Amino acid sequence: MSIAISALTPPDAPLLVLGIESSCDETGVALYDRREGLLAHEIFTQIEMHRVYGGVVPELASRDHVRRVLPLTRAVLASAGRQLSELDGIAYTAGPGLIGALLVGAGVAQALAFGLDIPAVGVHHMEAHLLAPMLEPDPPDFPFLALLVSGGHTMLVDVEGLGRYRVLGESLDDAAGEAFDKTAKLLGLSYPGGPAVEALAVHGNPSRFRFPRPMTDRPGLDFSFSGLKTFTATTARQQAADPTAAADIARAFSDAVVDTFVIKCRRALKQTGRRTLLVAGGVSANRALRLALGDLGEEMKVAVRYPALAFCTDNGAMVAYAGCLRLAAGARNGPSFSVRPRWSLEDLAPPGAG
Ligand code: KG4
Ligand code: ZN
């Protein structure tokens, strides 16, 4: 059971929450119990469907969420040995994300909650990512610094508590995951690009190319990855005749991204004095990044924490968990609801703060 939940609510009241994630190309459904922790989770990834297009096609994504949400809901209930009627609340991703995809999860969650006469709560997708490391045993406690690195967002956030977020820096253009995906495309690798670039980079020569570490030579905590993308594209063009170059380019790109994160995290840790760094979002699955931030943690005597690999990329467990925290603290949607394709993390407030 999580320390964070028990700190917010009386630990003896039951709270069984169904979480639904449908912001992009993964349908994730999970069941989280505040006393027993994560009971079950299921994911269906649409990667194969979108692969031929080299990226996510929004309308295809929405239609597939429609097909998956209820079967996955039945599957998590069956694997946990629970009934729909035992649910105390339903959480769903309300944004940011693709509007049609978000509406599918929100519509199903609100309809189920209405039918069962239980509360529903819309969860911010990046808050869910941010809290995902807390699903692990011995969860870290607030406050902490968070590095969020996903396909749509890259940011450093000072986290004082649930809903108390200050964005210290973010990407001015491409997100880190997007940069991995675009680099993969340039190198003729498959979608999604992060794992493919990572696998190729392992075989690359680290001293053949040196790519720039964007925005590290000036103060501040913002990021920019579009220049690095151009640099990668130019190098790939120049080396087109050399079949051995792709691995070395993947390595140079990966080293540049990882170094950039280490430099900015060191800076943010110094600035805030936080003793814990949480790293979450799809790119936090990257082993080179984990190794480098692990070294930084040792150097600065800072604890560095991640979600389990299954919960780095989009999943229902993080939504069920974030929803459970918010429902436990009294958050509820009214009967009408909306989704927010664009939604700043800083617009959130602690539950009960109005
Ligand atoms: O968090 P996520 O599942 O979705 C968003 O909320 O955007 O992140 C997906 C992103 C993709 O861009 C993918 O290429 C990247 O995470 N990613 C990785 C790795 N695994 C996934 N990037 C680098 N290394 C990885 N191992
Ligand atoms: Zn995500």
Side-chain angles (χ1 to χ4, degrees), residues 23 125-126 129 150 313-314 318:
S23 65
H125 182 77
M126 297 313 291
H129 271 305
S150 73
T313 44
D314 292 348
M318 66 183 193

Side-chain angles (χ1 to χ4, degrees), residues 125 129 150-152 177-178 180-181 192-195 198 281-283 285-286 312-314:
H125 182 77
H129 271 305
S150 73
E178 199 178 350
F180 269 98
D181 294 339
E198 171 170 13
V283 183
N286 188 279
C312 289
T313 44
D314 292 348

Side-chain angles (χ1 to χ4, degrees), residues 245-295:
D248 300 336
I249 292 172
R251 178 60 181 260
F253 168 82
S254 163
D255 285 354
V257 173
V258 168
D259 259 11
T260 302
F261 284 134
V262 169
I263 292 167
K264 294 288 166 108
C265 285
R266 182 185 285 115
R267 215 177 265 179
L269 286 165
K270 278 192 188 147
Q271 187 177 310
T272 58
R274 298 296 186 212
R275 310 306 310 155
T276 308
L277 170 67
L278 264 63
V279 191
V283 183
S284 72
N286 188 279
R287 267 157 291 201
L289 179 64
R290 287 185 174 217
L291 276 177
L293 290 177
D295 289 347

Side-chain angles (χ1 to χ4, degrees), residues 95-96 123-131 144-149 153-170 280 322 326 340-350:
V123 165
H124 191 293
H125 182 77
M126 297 313 291
E127 175 175 79
H129 271 305
L130 189 154
L131 297 171
F144 49 76
L145 178 74
L147 173 67
L148 299 182
V149 278
H153 297 85
T154 297
M155 47 184 144
L156 272 162
V157 188
D158 190 37
V159 180
E160 279 197 42
L162 184 66
R164 297 169 68 198
Y165 309 126
R166 195 160 56 92
V167 176
L168 303 173
E170 60 193 324
R326 287 195 165 266
R340 296 180 67 172
R342 299 177 72 83
W343 189 5
S344 163
L345 200 55
E346 284 188 335
D347 287 348
L348 293 182

Side-chain angles (χ1 to χ4, degrees), residues 14 52 122-123 187 244 268 317 344 349 352:
V52 285
V123 165
L187 298 177
T244 69
S344 163

